[in-house]
Amino acid sequence: MGIVEFLRQIPDIHFTENENMAERTSLKVGGAARYFVCPDSVYALCRGISAAKDAGVKYKIIGNGTNLLVSDKGFDGLIVCTKNLNGLLLDKGEVIALCGTPLKRFADFVCGTGRTGAEGLAGIPASVGGAIYQNAGAFGFAISDRISEVTSIKDGKTVKRRKADCRFGYRDSVFKRNGEFIVSAKFKFNKRKAPINEDYCELRKNSQPLGRTCGSVFLNPDGDFAGRLIESAGLKGFKIGGAAVSEKHANFIITEQGATARDVYDLIEKIKNDVYAKFSVTLKEEVEYLGEF
């Protein structure tokens, strides 16, 4: 049985072929994925990945498609999108979140329970699973700050890790290093004693571009900020094709209608080369590449 026939037989899974990844990623560029599935259950997710492994087909798990640049040539493999694995629960004082839950919904839920500690995550356009994988953060918050336990799948087996075993670092985790996929996580938040005065979504709106962007393109080098280096290299507003360095925040790339993934890739290379030439600093991408460039 081929992978197409196998995927079509899995219950609770939505399967398409030649899926346009420009419609599935925040940069709105890139080619098609040969196979694309959205599972409605962890069981279906595991079966989909097993099908790819058994058929020798490459696969990639995505959430909201942020932090991802897909080649114009597409991806000759299987994309597994977790957006339908979206759920939240308050159990014995802990918040439990499924991997596909958007961070905005997660932060709103935490706030609605009378707790605090997730506000800074609200404006990050990512899912809970993707944010844990990258240990995403903003405004002094990191998603790992409040994690108590993470459930993942490794080599077809369920693994539960306490926070200390997740080896979180700056935009890093054991899940990223091991290539595991995250199923769910438990969080502990403090009860709120006073109203929340800061609107972090408004702060993000005022300081960072919204829309067709993948978020921060580069990791901050030790003791400095990628945005400062890029701006000091005179690259704010610099454009290649339909991709430009944001005028609002230099560590963001924005795309316009008609932009290509190659435009974005070439702009990233231009930024890296210019920053290195001026400051002898090698910027490292936070955005992930998928496919052939």
Side-chain angles (χ1 to χ4, degrees):
M1 182 185 300
I3 187 172
V4 173
E5 291 77 14
F6 192 96
L7 291 172
R8 291 190 188 282
Q9 291 185 15
I10 299 174
D12 301 323
I13 203 166
H14 307 273
F15 167 64
T16 58
E17 295 183 75
N18 299 313
E19 182 75 12
N20 181 12
M21 292 303 295
E23 297 301 319
R24 296 287 185 172
T25 56
S26 58
L27 280 167
K28 303 299 181 187
V29 297
R34 186 174 182 185
Y35 311 114
F36 186 94
V37 295
C38 282
D40 291 334
S41 66
V42 175
Y43 170 78
L45 184 148
C46 292
R47 289 289 301 277
I49 291 173
S50 293
K53 288 182 175 179
D54 291 344
V57 172
K58 296 176 291 187
Y59 69 90
K60 172 69 176 176
I61 301 171
I62 69 170
N64 289 348
T66 54
N67 209 43
L68 186 67
L69 178 62
V70 180
S71 167
D72 295 316
K73 299 176 183 178
F75 177 62
D76 188 22
L78 171 68
I79 295 291
V80 181
C81 178
T82 64
K83 71 170 189 174
N84 291 347
L85 299 177
N86 181 348
L88 292 156
L89 176 69
L90 182 64
D91 181 44
K92 299 177 182 179
E94 290 189 308
V95 175
I96 302 173
L98 289 180
C99 57
T101 307
L103 283 187
K104 177 63 165 63
R105 183 178 178 224
F106 172 72
D108 288 347
F109 180 86
V110 172
C111 185
T113 68
R115 289 166 169 77
T116 185
E119 300 84 24
L121 302 173
I124 300 175
S127 62
V128 167
I132 294 171
Y133 180 84
Q134 293 276 2
N135 193 19
F139 305 115
F141 291 81
I143 196 165
S144 61
D145 292 343
R146 302 291 181 174
I147 282 176
S148 58
E149 182 181 272
V150 179
T151 300
S152 64
I153 302 294
K154 180 182 181 182
D155 299 326
K157 297 180 180 179
T158 300
V159 179
K160 292 184 182 291
R161 286 190 178 89
R162 305 301 293 176
K163 178 180 176 178
D165 299 319
C166 295
R167 299 198 310 230
F168 288 115
Y170 172 58
R171 303 296 178 262
D172 195 18
S173 70
V174 70
F175 313 103
K176 189 174 183 179
R177 299 174 209 172
N178 291 354
E180 299 175 33
F181 66 87
I182 295 157
V183 174
S184 64
K186 292 182 179 180
F187 301 82
K188 288 184 179 179
F189 293 97
N190 297 327
K191 288 288 188 69
R192 190 169 61 248
K193 297 179 180 179
I196 297 171
N197 296 320
E198 292 183 283
D199 186 338
Y200 289 95
C201 286
E202 191 65 22
L203 284 174
R204 189 177 185 90
K205 180 180 178 182
N206 291 333
S207 62
Q208 300 174 4
L210 303 177
R212 295 172 59 127
T213 175
C214 62
S216 297
V217 176
F218 299 100
L219 298 168
N220 288 324
D222 290 342
D224 211 332
F225 296 95
R228 187 198 73 80
L229 294 170
I230 297 166
E231 182 174 354
S232 297
L235 291 170
K236 255 193 173 181
F238 187 87
K239 186 175 180 182
I240 293 180
V245 177
S246 169
E247 293 278 9
K248 185 175 282 188
H249 192 309
N251 197 18
F252 285 69
I253 287 175
I254 53 176
T255 62
E256 60 186 30
Q257 192 72 31
T260 66
R262 189 73 206 186
D263 292 340
V264 179
Y265 182 85
D266 287 346
L267 183 55
I268 289 173
E269 290 298 302
K270 166 69 174 175
I271 293 168
K272 289 170 65 178
N273 290 337
D274 282 16
V275 167
Y276 185 81
K278 184 163 186 176
F279 301 106
S280 297
V281 174
T282 300
L283 291 179
K284 182 178 179 182
E285 292 94 320
E286 186 172 335
V287 64
E288 292 188 56
Y289 299 122
L290 188 63
E292 181 183 340
F293 286 91

